[in-house]
Amino acid sequence: MNVLIYLIPIALFMGGIGLAAFIWSLKSGQYDDLEGAAWRILQDDDTPKP
């Protein structure tokens, strides 16, 4: 039972780090263009060499 004294704060700290990383990714625009990558892979930008 004494282990819970250590594990609960560690789990809360790690959860806070995960939440902070998620909020940072939202603010930095990681999820702004969800369709763009799907369409970019279908475009054929290769030009034949002369």
Side-chain angles (χ1 to χ4, degrees):
M1 284 307 264
N2 290 336
V3 175
L4 291 178
I5 294 172
Y6 299 110
L7 290 180
I8 291 174
I10 290 172
L12 290 174
F13 179 71
M14 290 176 65
I17 289 174
L19 181 63
F22 177 70
I23 291 172
W24 171 81
S25 69
L26 283 177
K27 288 185 179 182
S28 68
Q30 293 289 321
Y31 301 109
D32 285 347
D33 186 17
L34 297 177
E35 298 280 329
W39 286 105
R40 275 193 301 271
I41 199 168
L42 295 175
Q43 292 176 350
D44 188 20
D45 291 339
D46 296 334
T47 56
K49 295 181 180 179

